[in-house]
Amino acid sequence: MQNSNLLRLFEDLLITTTNAQRIELLERMHIELLGISSSIQFEQVHQHIPWSHLFELIHSNTNDEVERLLCLIMEYFINNLSIEQIMTNFYPLLNTGLDNETGLSQRVKILCLKAFEKLARCSKTECFFVIQNLFQYSHINALLHLFLDSDQQTLWLKSKEILEHMIKTVSQIEDKNIFQTYLRDHYFHESNRKILLSSNELNEIVKLRLYEYLVDLCLIDSRIYQHITEEQHLLDQFFYDCTHNDSDILYLMNCLELLTTLTQKSHTLNYLHNKTNIIDHYLHLLLSSSNDENSFYDIIKPGFIKFFGCYIRNYLLLLETNLSNNQQNQLLERFLPFLFDILLQTDSDTYVGIGLDTIGFIGKTIHGKEYMLSMTKFGDFIGKLIQMIRSAQSDIRIRALNCLSDLFYISTNDRTSTIASSLTEQIYRLCNRVFSLLPIIVQIAKQPFVDLRLAAYRCLLELTRSPWSLHAMNNEPGFLEFLLNRSTEKDKDGKETKFTIIQSICQNSDEAKLALGNVNYLKLRRYINEGAFFIEPEANVAFDGSNE
């Protein structure tokens, strides 16, 4: 009954001539649609709706309220119909809806973008063929124009998301030849390539928007990256800008952020590694600015540090099996001493925070630990690190504890490595030169501040990955008693983390028994068997006559 009322309203809309009548009918349709609760009902109704008339009306009518209600009704169907049904019913609108020549309003373009987005996000294997038919080079061209020409953030952001999700869906197709053909003939069609090479015609804000889009595409798939860099040379202008805009600090900061993003994947990292002019240029700016107290580049120094930290750490991971790269060693030799100097000589929270994060990031790798331990300044840095853990402000103490946790970190693959264990033991000994480390961490773990406690627990957790640390923990007076005492922790996250520490200690039962002794090992096993949230039962004693 409800469906028949709705269809009758659509039929009445065909013969109305005034906007007042149309608004009344459209409002009644809206109310009827609110009563439809299942996609099945939408599927039953959609095939009887005069879509061509609605599209004609949305093109020809100039009344804002009529347009608003039409878009609202169409959006209901877009949200509830299948991919195939949207393609069948909405293709006439979607085919030209984004073209500037049609003169459609921003509201209608947003409606089209919502339909495009649903199509682009489809994860089924058959969706590629839907995309192949709908997202041809002309439609991608319209999306690119909307992305780069629109001042409306909603429009250009949505266009960017659709372009990225669509190519991500296409990249999942197994047939490599079909994918390469699609990239060449549609996505990077010559007309689209001209738009993507038009950065010099754009203002700096839109230019950076374009560069961010290209960088994001490079991260999706190595084949897309090859098209962008090696075949189409779409990032050449970006790399030129990176080394020829030193006077524009804000622009340089944005370029650094994009370069840092390129360090995330092995194929983009290798490409960046071959751009030695950029690496040398930025390292020169960083090192030269450190000698000038009033340097123009002070504001961007944290960005430099973050970039080189991500670049070195990810490259060390990439070259774990072969570190015979002289240039990489030279970069470490030049960058790390500078970083240690910043942390040893400055009290600026900005530099200290990013410096601690960066050293921890590099120190997570085996080769990062090895190289740091070979430097004399590393021992001085560890001394400063322990001081910060003991007495700095809370936010710096947390970052210092996280840095130390990263230095003690051993990946799952390296936990049986004697080299990894030896490196963490050397770092631990450096920590104990002035103050005993374990009591400091335990003291912090007893404080009432959750963030500090969790940072201290994480440090203990990373320590347990090394066999030598179990002996150190057993030899520390009161340490095992602290771990086994459930009353020291009241918060859920703290209870779970403490439980994880004990699980890690007992993971290798032979090592744990050898280091801790059978009695202590059995106490820890009992803790695990009881669970993270076990509560000791209270004994109640009844006395005769107590109720009198």
Side-chain angles (χ1 to χ4, degrees):
M1 185 67 179
Q2 187 182 44
N3 291 354
S4 60
N5 290 339
L6 185 60
L7 293 173
R8 192 177 300 113
L9 290 172
F10 276 107
E11 291 170 1
D12 291 343
L13 187 65
L14 292 173
I15 59 175
T16 56
T17 56
T18 68
N19 284 329
Q21 291 174 319
R22 289 171 181 144
I23 290 170
E24 181 184 353
L25 286 170
L26 289 168
E27 285 177 341
R28 289 169 63 188
M29 288 180 201
H30 181 219
I31 293 171
E32 291 287 338
L33 286 170
L34 289 174
I36 297 180
S37 58
S38 70
S39 297
I40 296 174
Q41 289 176 286
F42 277 97
E43 291 173 1
Q44 292 170 346
V45 171
H46 86 277
Q47 53 192 322
H48 303 294
I49 292 175
W51 292 108
S52 58
H53 178 73
L54 296 183
F55 298 149
E56 183 182 339
L57 188 60
I58 212 167
H59 275 89
S60 60
N61 194 278
T62 56
N63 185 280
D64 185 71
E65 185 63 10
V66 171
E67 182 189 89
R68 185 187 72 82
L69 288 166
L70 277 170
C71 288
L72 190 62
I73 289 167
M74 289 183 188
E75 187 176 345
Y76 273 113
F77 282 94
I78 288 170
N79 291 339
N80 289 279
L81 293 179
S82 68
I83 298 297
E84 293 78 11
Q85 290 161 346
I86 292 173
M87 279 291 293
T88 303
N89 296 311
F90 285 84
Y91 186 79
L93 178 65
L94 299 179
N95 191 35
T96 59
L98 298 181
D99 294 342
N100 289 327
E101 290 77 11
T102 59
L104 293 175
S105 68
Q106 177 181 331
R107 182 188 287 126
V108 180
K109 288 183 177 179
I110 290 174
L111 175 71
C112 292
L113 288 174
K114 287 178 179 177
F116 275 121
E117 183 178 28
K118 182 169 182 177
L119 296 170
R121 286 180 179 272
C122 178
S123 57
K124 299 177 183 176
T125 52
E126 60 267 21
C127 288
F128 168 73
F129 301 103
V130 173
I131 289 173
Q132 193 177 27
N133 291 325
L134 180 61
F135 291 96
Q136 297 183 358
Y137 76 87
S138 58
H139 305 105
I140 295 169
N141 191 278
L143 284 166
L144 285 172
H145 273 296
L146 205 57
F147 169 53
L148 294 175
D149 297 345
S150 176
D151 293 328
Q152 300 293 328
Q153 188 178 29
T154 304
L155 286 176
W156 70 256
L157 268 178
K158 190 65 70 179
S159 301
K160 179 177 182 285
E161 288 174 9
I162 292 166
L163 286 164
E164 290 177 359
H165 279 292
M166 179 263 291
I167 200 62
K168 200 176 289 183
T169 300
V170 177
S171 68
Q172 295 170 8
I173 190 167
E174 294 180 0
D175 193 317
K176 295 181 180 179
N177 291 330
I178 292 178
F179 179 58
Q180 295 287 2
T181 301
Y182 182 80
L183 286 177
R184 184 182 62 252
D185 295 347
H186 293 285
Y187 204 85
F188 294 113
H189 183 271
E190 184 60 30
S191 62
N192 298 335
R193 184 173 181 268
K194 287 179 181 178
I195 297 175
L196 297 172
L197 287 171
S198 65
S199 59
N200 283 334
E201 302 169 16
L202 307 171
N203 64 51
E204 288 186 350
I205 294 175
V206 181
K207 186 189 290 190
L208 287 167
R209 187 192 302 173
L210 172 59
Y211 290 158
E212 181 187 27
Y213 165 64
L214 291 172
V215 166
D216 288 345
L217 288 184
C218 286
L219 299 178
I220 291 173
D221 190 282
S222 59
R223 295 168 294 178
I224 301 172
Y225 143 79
Q226 285 176 343
H227 267 273
I228 289 174
T229 56
E230 297 173 11
E231 296 182 27
Q232 307 286 349
H233 302 284
L234 299 177
L235 278 178
D236 287 1
Q237 185 61 43
F238 166 63
F239 286 118
Y240 178 84
D241 287 355
C242 285
T243 55
H244 290 80
N245 283 277
D246 295 346
S247 60
D248 189 337
I249 292 297
L250 290 177
Y251 190 79
L252 187 58
M253 288 174 72
N254 281 281
C255 287
L256 265 176
E257 196 65 36
L258 292 176
L259 286 172
T260 304
T261 303
L262 279 174
T263 67
Q264 294 177 14
K265 294 292 179 72
S266 59
H267 57 271
T268 53
L269 184 63
N270 266 323
Y271 180 72
L272 188 59
H273 179 66
N274 293 326
K275 295 288 180 181
T276 53
N277 62 319
I278 294 177
I279 304 299
D280 290 342
H281 180 76
Y282 280 170
L283 190 59
H284 171 73
L285 286 180
L286 176 62
L287 298 179
S288 61
S289 67
S290 66
N291 298 322
D292 184 357
E293 291 182 1
N294 300 312
S295 171
F296 187 53
Y297 294 104
D298 268 358
I299 192 173
I300 202 173
K301 199 177 288 184
F304 280 132
I305 294 170
K306 179 182 176 183
F307 165 66
F308 281 111
C310 292
Y311 174 77
I312 291 172
R313 190 259 180 170
N314 290 331
Y315 212 87
L316 288 175
L317 286 175
L318 192 65
L319 300 177
E320 286 259 304
T321 55
N322 179 18
L323 198 64
S324 60
N325 189 288
N326 291 329
Q327 184 190 347
Q328 192 61 38
N329 287 333
Q330 290 171 8
L331 182 57
L332 280 164
E333 289 169 5
R334 296 168 69 188
F335 176 66
L336 281 179
F338 163 79
L339 192 54
F340 289 141
D341 284 340
I342 283 183
L343 289 163
L344 291 169
Q345 298 171 12
T346 186
D347 292 322
S348 168
D349 286 354
T350 302
Y351 293 156
V352 168
I354 191 70
L356 288 170
D357 295 346
T358 304
I359 286 176
F361 200 54
I362 296 172
K364 260 192 165 184
T365 66
I366 295 296
H367 293 297
K369 291 177 177 63
E370 280 182 330
Y371 195 83
M372 287 183 189
L373 283 164
S374 70
M375 300 177 64
T376 54
K377 288 185 178 181
F378 183 62
D380 297 332
F381 161 72
I382 289 294
K384 181 73 176 287
L385 182 67
I386 300 303
Q387 285 182 13
M388 286 188 277
I389 289 171
R390 292 181 70 238
S391 58
Q393 295 177 350
S394 290
D395 57 331
I396 297 297
R397 293 178 80 186
I398 290 169
R399 291 175 92 162
L401 281 165
N402 288 337
C403 176
L404 188 59
S405 299
D406 288 337
L407 292 173
F408 286 137
Y409 171 84
I410 299 177
S411 69
T412 306
N413 293 334
D414 290 323
R415 283 177 193 168
T416 57
S417 164
T418 54
I419 294 175
S421 180
S422 172
L423 293 171
T424 55
E425 187 172 13
Q426 290 178 61
I427 294 170
Y428 181 77
R429 286 175 180 169
L430 284 176
C431 293
N432 282 277
R433 285 191 308 176
V434 179
F435 300 101
S436 182
L437 180 62
L438 278 178
I440 295 173
I441 297 176
V442 169
Q443 194 59 40
I444 295 171
K446 291 179 178 178
Q447 292 192 11
F449 311 107
V450 177
D451 290 345
L452 266 175
R453 288 208 311 278
L454 291 177
Y457 284 144
R458 187 195 159 206
C459 206
L460 293 175
L461 178 61
E462 297 304 339
L463 271 173
T464 62
R465 314 292 192 196
S466 302
W468 59 263
S469 69
L470 302 185
H471 294 277
M473 291 175 179
N474 188 51
N475 292 333
E476 184 62 41
F479 179 79
L480 290 176
E481 287 77 8
F482 161 74
L483 271 188
L484 292 165
N485 186 354
R486 293 182 181 273
S487 67
T488 60
E489 187 54 64
K490 306 296 183 185
D491 291 291
K492 175 180 179 293
D493 290 342
K495 288 175 182 286
E496 289 176 339
T497 311
K498 202 174 182 186
F499 183 77
T500 306
I501 292 170
I502 294 175
Q503 278 185 315
S504 179
I505 290 173
C506 294
Q507 194 166 25
N508 189 322
S509 58
D510 291 337
E511 287 181 354
K513 288 177 183 176
L514 181 64
L516 307 174
N518 284 333
V519 174
N520 287 330
Y521 174 75
L522 290 173
K523 288 179 181 178
L524 294 170
R525 288 301 316 176
R526 180 183 174 187
Y527 192 109
I528 294 171
N529 292 335
E530 290 171 343
F533 304 104
F534 177 77
I535 298 174
E536 292 283 354
E538 293 184 9
N540 293 316
V541 180
F543 293 93
D544 186 31
S546 61
N547 292 325
E548 293 179 4

